[in-house]
Amino acid sequence: MEIWDAYNEKMDKIDGVSLVRGEPIREGYYHLVSEIIVENKDESYLLMQRDARKHLGGMWEASAGGSALQGEDSLACAIRELYEETGIISNELTEIGRILHYGHKTIHVEYLCNTDVDKDRIVLQDGETSSYKWVTGNELRLMSREELATQRIQNFIEELK
């Protein structure tokens, strides 16, 4: 069972309230999600293909990420998720944005990881990711809704340039 801290829409932690993955989240409560865009020093971006068994399976994500576990802040979550889903170890993450998603009752904190990691040494997480590839910023901008699990990352890429 995965337990999350509850937050209000201003990203203030609500003391004494826990949320459980898969259970309905009450109105006014949100859970924290960290997403990490990985940019190599050669200005290419890491795309991870979602495992076929997951929601939006087979689609590409321009980020690693997931829900913050109870007691984790967004940065600790980002560091953990980056390692779990890619094998990349980095504490050099820069927050680049926040998005409140009312429908999913989530607060997404977006990070950028600039790295010089060996591009052939990405580690896939069983049950989460099935493949990876590196693309240029222009290639990422041109990807369609049918290819990408979410297009909001394209907006962050555009703003970074």
Side-chain angles (χ1 to χ4, degrees):
M1 176 175 12
E2 192 170 302
I3 309 293
W4 305 323
D5 289 321
Y7 292 84
N8 65 23
E9 65 183 21
K10 295 179 182 173
M11 205 170 138
D12 298 320
K13 187 174 160 184
I14 301 171
D15 290 330
V17 179
S18 296
L19 305 173
V20 178
R21 178 184 286 278
E23 292 185 4
I25 297 175
R26 291 187 357 216
E27 197 62 39
Y29 289 4
Y30 300 85
H31 79 277
L32 190 58
V33 174
S34 293
E35 294 182 317
I36 310 93
I37 300 169
V38 179
E39 181 181 22
N40 196 285
K41 298 294 183 192
D42 69 2
E43 298 184 354
S44 62
Y45 294 92
L46 178 62
L47 297 185
M48 304 298 291
Q49 189 172 37
R50 294 176 64 87
D51 186 280
R53 297 169 284 185
K54 290 182 60 87
H55 175 66
L56 302 176
M59 297 182 84
W60 293 94
E61 289 187 290
S63 66
S67 297
L69 302 175
Q70 190 167 45
E72 259 183 341
D73 64 19
S74 64
L75 180 59
C77 173
I79 291 168
R80 176 183 55 77
E81 288 285 351
L82 180 64
Y83 176 71
E84 286 178 358
E85 293 186 9
T86 69
I88 297 172
I89 299 172
S90 178
N91 294 325
E92 302 297 320
L93 304 178
T94 304
E95 185 178 326
I96 58 172
R98 294 181 181 191
I99 297 171
L100 183 64
H101 194 299
Y102 290 101
H104 291 233
K105 298 187 179 173
T106 54
I107 300 170
H108 291 257
V109 181
E110 308 288 338
Y111 289 92
L112 178 66
C113 172
N114 287 104
T115 184
D116 61 356
V117 66
D118 182 340
K119 292 166 69 170
D120 295 323
R121 298 210 180 256
I122 300 303
V123 177
L124 301 176
Q125 184 181 16
D126 187 43
E128 292 287 329
T129 55
S130 58
S131 188
Y132 71 92
K133 64 182 175 179
W134 293 89
V135 298
T136 66
N138 193 49
E139 289 170 324
L140 178 57
R141 282 185 209 87
L142 294 174
M143 290 181 76
S144 71
R145 179 64 183 113
E146 289 74 36
E147 297 171 283
L148 285 175
T150 176
Q151 291 183 307
R152 85 173 153 266
I153 299 302
Q154 289 171 317
N155 298 332
F156 285 113
I157 298 297
E158 193 62 36
E159 289 175 15
L160 292 171
K161 297 299 170 194

